[in-house]
Amino acid sequence: MHFIARTFAAVITAVVPGLVLPGLVVAQSTPARVPLSLEQIIAGSTLTGTAPSSPIWSPDSKAVAFLWNDRAQPARSLWLVERGGTMPRRLLPASTTARVSEFVWTPDGSAIVFVQRDSLWRVNVATAAQTSLLADGGELSELAVSPSGATLSFLRDGDLWLLPLAGDSPSRGSPTRATNVAVAPIGSIPLGTYYGRDVEIGGATWSGPSPSYAWSPDSRTIAVHYVDRRGVPRFSMPYYLGDTVQMNTLRRGAPGQANEVRKIGLLDVGARTLSMVELPDSSSTRVVNAAWSLTGTLMIDRESDDAIDRTIHVLTAAAPTPRVAWRDHRDTRVYNDIASAWSADGRSIVLTGDLDDRYRLYRVVPGDTSPVMLTPGPHDVAGAGIPRAGTGSIDYVSSSPRPSERHVFRVSARGDVPQQLTTRAGTHTPFVSPDGRSIALLSSSDTQPTELYLLDVRAGATERRITASTTPAFARVPWIAPQYLNIKNGSDTLPLRIRVFLPPNIDSTKHYPVLFGPAYSNTVRNRWGGLNGMLQQYLALEKGYIVVQVDVRGSTGYGRAFREKFLMDWGGGDLDDLESAVTYMKSQPFVDASRFGIWGSSYGGTLTVYSLLKKPGLFQAGVAGAAATDPYLFGSDDVAIVRRPQSHPATFTRGALQYAGNLRDHLLLIHGMQDDVVPFSSAVELAEEFMKQGKDFDFAFAPAATHGWTQRPYYAAYLLRKLVAHFDRYLGPGPR
């Protein structure tokens, strides 16, 4: 189910013709438009092009390399833009169409090593001359170069490999397998989130942005993330698309069952020996971060799977016994948006934590019990702080000044008043230059897909756009800018934030149907929504639906109390939040109170099913994709919201089957038969109970779809047409 995400909304007050209302503005006219189709949405790149990704600064801060395709083709190539420039240049020949999957700068900044077609190459930045380093190397990932510049490292076949680098000449020697821990998967069908090797060096099943390994500053030791799944229960699903029916078998745990072991090991590069750092509870604790300071101290930041406990240990390669640097405990936590980084001088740790009502940056010297707060409220920090060498300043992303957006700020290490750096409305992900004077940004908004920008950190500077990815067809669609509103929550003292897409040329004398979706937490944010966002636009532009999203409890950006109301209460108070938004929308004179629908996937599917079963008549139609309705089948990460049946048995009595007899509205279930996050069996059990109760409902499935059932274009085409047809049939598009 995995409910993590983050967002929020802003206040708008306006006058609707003929009436004074507390929010929505009815536009009176729009220019002629070009129709938007489901086929365009599913194809994606025919409209939005291919967004830039993975910007990485050169070591001297003079240029940014990134992956991009300027012709709306899926295969990204390697591009470069100078710090002061606006025109990017392609580093590889235009005739090269093979996808570059990842890359890394050499420490001297003269070259870039990249992966293309399972081969390793090096390109000289000045001359564009290419050198083959490794042909047909298999599936390579997680490239890195040792700080000394002598060795290239990467993951392959579940282990860490090392390859010597030698100037601009081909490397001397072959890659060597530096670790030998990998154990093959137990299954043979490579589908699903939980499919993976039984043992490997790499990321956990539910892992964050932390690296799979990290070089020490002296290049003599590598800290590796070791994952052992052999204690996790086997889980099987029938797979029908082979010559005969097969069982797709993988390792998947549920709340209360054994989870994978996650440890940090220390690889002695010279001796090729691997020793594990022994820490407690390795099968119930995730590694948030493992990072070396510039002075050679390793930080291991860990959090319990239920999010209650967080502990940071430190050690050195010479003294590998870990000692506690800082710890925190709170029983009421849910999914936790935490991070950490070393300060620029390596003497303290900059951590992101929820020690009071908001996520903030703190500075803690190992051994201190009281971290120093660096960022103010009432706003939340998102992700890790980025300390800058030589300046003492720290860059970070915050929900300030509006909870519907994410902006980049800079604060001193003393915690002075932060300076907002980004100016464009939207959501920004920063990549700060080593000298701290410039920032590369991946930025998007409700009506603009992700593009690359550069920003000089100086007074009066604004973002310079570097890439233009969208196609001419994109500009001919009159994309709707949604309205952000605060509304009254009937069941809580905290206001609710909603986002509303109004159809063009809306006639306030007529009555329009309303669709809530895709329902989820953390949806009310000014950012490009991808396929889901374009589906919202299609439903409003072409079908005449008003589309609404609600930041239900559990969302980030509104304080700890609102976020933690979600603990063990999914399908409870969050339904009251939806009902409050329905009540508000029904108060609008141009809304048809008899035509309300809801859709969503994963937790959004859960909201859909529980809304129809526990609040009959609130919505007249719903489409529930991959709905998690049986807590005993929740995933290994979901202990953060349901805890465990051994300790909290009452939580596990909240399954949907007991409410099946309440169904009176029109429900369509959508599910992938190879969904291992929310198993297909949970949808089958619900369908069986509906049939026993004599209920009418619809069911659409995709034979090889996993949890993301729109990932294959032909599944997306079939199932999204089903979704739209369901609402058209039972609600009717457009005004009456």
Side-chain angles (χ1 to χ4, degrees), residues 635-700:
S636 57
D637 68 315
D638 290 321
V639 295
I641 56 161
V642 299
R643 300 310 192 232
R644 297 175 175 87
Q646 298 92 328
S647 59
H648 295 79
T651 309
F652 291 81
T653 65
R654 300 172 59 87
L657 294 186
Q658 62 189 304
Y659 308 112
N662 296 339
L663 182 65
R664 78 180 197 211
D665 304 300
H666 302 288
L667 175 63
L668 167 62
L669 298 174
I670 292 177
H671 222 103
M673 295 180 70
Q674 296 303 304
D675 187 344
D676 61 332
V677 175
V678 179
F680 184 63
S681 59
S682 62
V684 171
E685 290 174 353
L686 187 58
E688 175 78 2
E689 189 61 27
F690 283 149
M691 293 176 187
K692 287 180 179 179
Q693 299 279 348
K695 300 299 179 179
D696 185 30
F697 68 101
D698 295 296
F699 200 161

Side-chain angles (χ1 to χ4, degrees), residues 346-478:
R347 297 178 181 177
S348 61
I349 296 169
V350 177
L351 61 88
T352 306
D354 60 342
L355 307 188
D356 63 7
D357 188 55
R358 296 286 178 166
Y359 285 112
R360 307 182 194 275
L361 289 184
Y362 296 85
R363 184 181 72 252
V364 59
V365 176
D368 284 356
T369 58
S370 300
V372 177
M373 183 189 303
L374 300 178
T375 56
H379 309 289
D380 284 296
V381 171
I386 309 170
R388 305 318 320 151
T391 66
S393 63
I394 303 167
D395 294 344
Y396 65 97
V397 176
S398 172
S399 62
S400 177
R402 289 170 294 279
S404 58
E405 302 188 357
R406 288 291 188 271
H407 282 282
V408 182
F409 285 76
R410 176 166 290 184
V411 69
S412 75
R414 299 183 302 275
D416 297 334
V417 176
Q419 173 192 4
Q420 182 175 332
L421 302 181
T422 49
T423 63
R424 295 175 55 87
T427 296
H428 307 277
T429 301
F431 302 83
V432 184
S433 63
D435 64 8
R437 293 169 50 199
S438 301
I439 301 177
L441 298 161
L442 292 179
S443 304
S444 75
S445 68
D446 288 317
T447 57
Q448 177 61 58
T450 299
E451 298 287 5
L452 178 67
Y453 295 79
L454 289 183
L455 175 64
D456 299 325
V457 183
R458 54 180 173 79
T462 58
E463 299 90 332
R464 304 191 313 277
R465 183 168 170 174
I466 303 302
T467 59
S469 307
T470 56
T471 67
F474 181 89
R476 294 194 292 268
V477 176

